Amino acid sequence: GQNIDQPTEMTATEGAIVQINCTYQTSGFNGLFWYQQHAGEAPTFLSYNVLDGLEEKGRFSSFLSRSKGYSYLLLKELQMKDSASYLCAVIGTGGSYIPTFGRGTSLIVHP
Amino acid sequence: EAGVAQSPRYKIIEKRQSVAFWCNPISGHATLYWYQQILGQGPKLLIQFQNNGVVDDSQLPKDRFSAERLKGVDSTLKIQPAKLEDSAVYLCASSRGQGLAKNIQYFGAGTRLSVL
């Protein structure tokens, strides 16, 4: 089975940097996705990692260590609109590439 | 490109009643997913289709939930009869295919179900 762990809630200040962690224990690994979900809205894709290392995409970066079962999402120059839930999703092995989502981290950005 | 369409946006029913949700994925997307998202939790996969075939439905409560994607395009999810614990947002998502690089999911706005 899959077990994905994320902090429930984080707060940060506008303009700062925040790191949201995700640890996972899965039966095999085929990649990890991060999605952003604003309250009452659908999740939207942010990034994915297949190999170890850092993937940078503007203000957002995502890091993966497969040997440690660990990923983080780094948000720089925080803006108020970044207040949202951040979902970590792991794709296990098997030809069906079935995703399992964590419960999400609610990020609150304050002035 | 049009996004994933879902209807209705909101539904309120009494327990033991039936309800159906509809989803139209992005044109050309072979894979379609239905998720249940309870408040404060991440999406839980109920069923995954590849074209009109079921890839995984291991978490679908088959005694009350059913889903179909008859022509490999749009899909319906039905609950019959509904229970109080079915109150949640039901999200539909689609992706191009099963290859990892193509498996970015695009979500619809969801249907918020309240069972009273």
Side-chain angles (χ1 to χ4, degrees):
Chain A
Q2 322 271 56
N3 185 39
I4 300 169
D5 193 34
Q6 302 179 236
T8 303
E9 187 175 292
M10 300 181 70
T11 59
T13 306
E14 194 175 15
I17 300 173
V18 71
Q19 178 175 311
I20 302 174
N21 296 326
C22 171
T23 57
Y24 61 89
Q25 295 169 318
T26 60
S27 51
F29 178 84
N30 250 331
L32 185 146
F33 289 75
W34 284 96
Y35 286 83
Q36 179 191 59
Q37 186 176 27
H38 285 100
E41 297 182 14
T44 55
F45 168 76
L46 287 178
S47 70
Y48 80 93
N49 296 71
V50 180
L51 301 175
D52 291 352
L54 189 68
E55 294 281 342
E56 296 189 80
K57 206 175 184 182
R59 293 191 300 115
F60 291 42
S61 304
S62 57
F63 172 83
L64 175 67
S65 169
R66 289 172 296 173
S67 62
K68 295 181 180 177
Y70 168 69
S71 173
Y72 67 72
L73 181 69
L74 193 71
L75 291 76
K76 304 174 188 173
E77 301 168 16
L78 280 173
Q79 302 175 11
M80 299 295 289
K81 67 178 182 179
D82 296 329
S83 293
S85 181
Y86 291 85
L87 300 163
C88 172
V90 174
I91 311 297
T93 50
S96 302
Y97 298 105
I98 297 164
T100 301
F101 281 82
R103 64 185 302 127
T105 298
S106 178
L107 174 66
I108 301 168
V109 180
H110 54 83
Chain B
E1 174 177 77
V4 176
Q6 286 190 250
S7 66
R9 285 299 313 275
Y10 305 93
K11 191 73 178 179
I12 301 173
I13 60 172
E14 295 187 351
K15 60 183 179 183
R16 290 189 290 274
Q17 286 187 321
S18 302
V19 65
F21 313 126
W22 175 82
C23 173
N24 191 23
I26 293 173
S27 178
H29 279 195
T31 307
L32 185 147
Y33 314 77
W34 281 104
Y35 290 91
Q36 179 192 61
Q37 187 173 27
I38 293 172
L39 188 65
Q41 297 184 19
K44 170 188 164 186
L45 181 68
L46 294 175
I47 189 167
Q48 179 176 337
F49 291 96
Q50 174 77 6
N51 296 310
N52 61 349
V54 175
V55 172
D56 184 85
D57 63 357
S58 57
Q59 298 192 92
L60 186 74
K62 298 179 186 65
D63 58 334
R64 299 184 301 108
F65 286 62
S66 64
E68 58 183 15
R69 193 185 185 198
L70 290 176
K71 296 181 180 178
V73 180
D74 57 353
S75 176
T76 55
L77 175 70
K78 297 178 182 177
I79 308 175
Q80 181 179 8
K83 292 185 175 181
L84 297 176
E85 58 260 36
D86 298 332
S87 295
V89 175
Y90 290 85
L91 294 166
C92 178
S94 70
S95 66
R96 291 186 186 278
Q98 285 189 322
L100 183 62
K102 301 178 183 177
N103 228 20
I104 296 169
Q105 296 180 62
Y106 298 87
F107 286 82
T111 297
R112 185 174 298 274
L113 174 67
S114 296
V115 182
L116 307 178

